[in-house]
Amino acid sequence: MTGSKIRLYVDHDLASGQSIALTREQSNYLFAVMRLEAGTQVSLINSRDGEYLADIVVANKKNGILVCQDQVKPLLLPPDLWLMFAPVKKDRTAFIVEKATEMGVREIVPVMTDYTHFDRIRWDKMDLQAVEAAEQCGGTYVPGIEMMEKLSDVLANWPAERQILFCDESKVGEATSLKDLPVDKDASWAVLIGPEGGFSEAERDLLRAHPNTHAISLGPRILRADTAAIAALTLWQTQLGDWG
Ligand code: SAH
């Protein structure tokens, strides 16, 4: 029964009995676009409290009020995995954000690399894409999207315990295995995907010299960055993450 309900991400705390004032955009979506009426229900998520059913109490096109009923799902936090990638063209970046959210990452970390080329980045859109993907896929968590920094700066300030799965196109064709990684099962991770132009030699040197980096191949063919992101997240999730 909960599956058919509209799912909405809100900033508020969720708890039984909690009332929630909707924003103008949310009210417009629920009551003008979806034409929901007072007395019906929606599902709410907020990245912290799981999923709650909520009754629609006020249903105006510019404002609305919901009241939370029961929790229907506990919070399912994705594993402590970041997707670090060099933004590509607008549509492909949107695709990467959407897929990473569906596949389960904690944070999305855009990095500027030597060969990164992109149109103007719409950060507000990236947040929205992550929210819509979480609403649609039954998730209870929306990954945070970090501000973009240079890859070399990110590596210089890298958290000591976080491992990096470096998808290195120069290893194309080598065997791919995460089985023999010399790190413990509960380590935190980041998957790193380069831009369409690949990594520069200087970046590759920096990455190889970094103590937390594990370079892998993604098979015998060069993948586009968006395909590589999905392939690497699938590998990581099946072997080290919460798919198993
Ligand atoms: N222009 C580059 C390819 C870049 S592909 C070249 O021709 O060499 C974009 C990114 O996807 C790469 O930087 C890498 O992170 C990842 N990638 C694509 N195919 C890969 C493969 N077979 N093995 C490892 N990483 C790969």
Side-chain angles (χ1 to χ4, degrees), residues 82-85 87 107-112 118 121-124 126-127 144-151 153-154:
W82 297 353
L83 173 66
M84 199 166 26
F85 76 106
E107 292 283 328
I108 295 177
V109 183
V111 286
M112 179 78 173
F118 49 85
I121 296 190
R122 294 292 310 268
W123 300 104
D124 51 335
M126 277 167 90
D127 278 329
I145 299 182
E146 299 292 322
M147 290 305 288
M148 183 160 69
E149 288 183 64
K150 275 180 70 178
L151 176 63
D153 293 342
V154 173

Side-chain angles (χ1 to χ4, degrees), residues 167-169 172 192-199 216-219 221-225 228:
C167 298
D168 182 357
E169 67 273 10
V172 63
L192 172 62
I193 305 290
E196 293 300 351
F199 291 102
I216 58 153
S217 151
L218 294 174
R221 287 162 292 271
I222 297 277
L223 309 176
R224 296 195 73 143

Side-chain angles (χ1 to χ4, degrees), residues 181-197:
L181 292 172
V183 289
D184 73 74
K185 185 90 178 72
D186 301 323
S188 52
W189 280 89
V191 161
L192 172 62
I193 305 290
E196 293 300 351

Side-chain angles (χ1 to χ4, degrees), residues 132-170:
E132 283 176 1
E135 288 171 349
Q136 172 275 324
C137 75
T140 50
Y141 178 83
V142 179
I145 299 182
E146 299 292 322
M147 290 305 288
M148 183 160 69
E149 288 183 64
K150 275 180 70 178
L151 176 63
S152 51
D153 293 342
V154 173
L155 292 176
N157 298 309
W158 194 253
E161 71 295 341
R162 188 173 296 274
Q163 306 298 313
I164 303 173
L165 194 66
F166 164 36
C167 298
D168 182 357
E169 67 273 10
S170 75

Side-chain angles (χ1 to χ4, degrees), residues 36-48:
L36 296 184
E37 293 175 353
T40 60
Q41 288 190 318
V42 291
S43 257
L44 300 178
I45 56 173
N46 67 353
S47 282
R48 301 186 298 274

Side-chain angles (χ1 to χ4, degrees), residues 46-68:
N46 67 353
S47 282
R48 301 186 298 274
D49 300 315
E51 177 173 346
Y52 277 76
L53 282 183
D55 290 339
I56 299 172
V57 179
V58 175
N60 297 325
K61 289 176 186 169
K62 292 184 181 162
N63 57 63
I65 294 180
L66 310 178
V67 175
C68 287

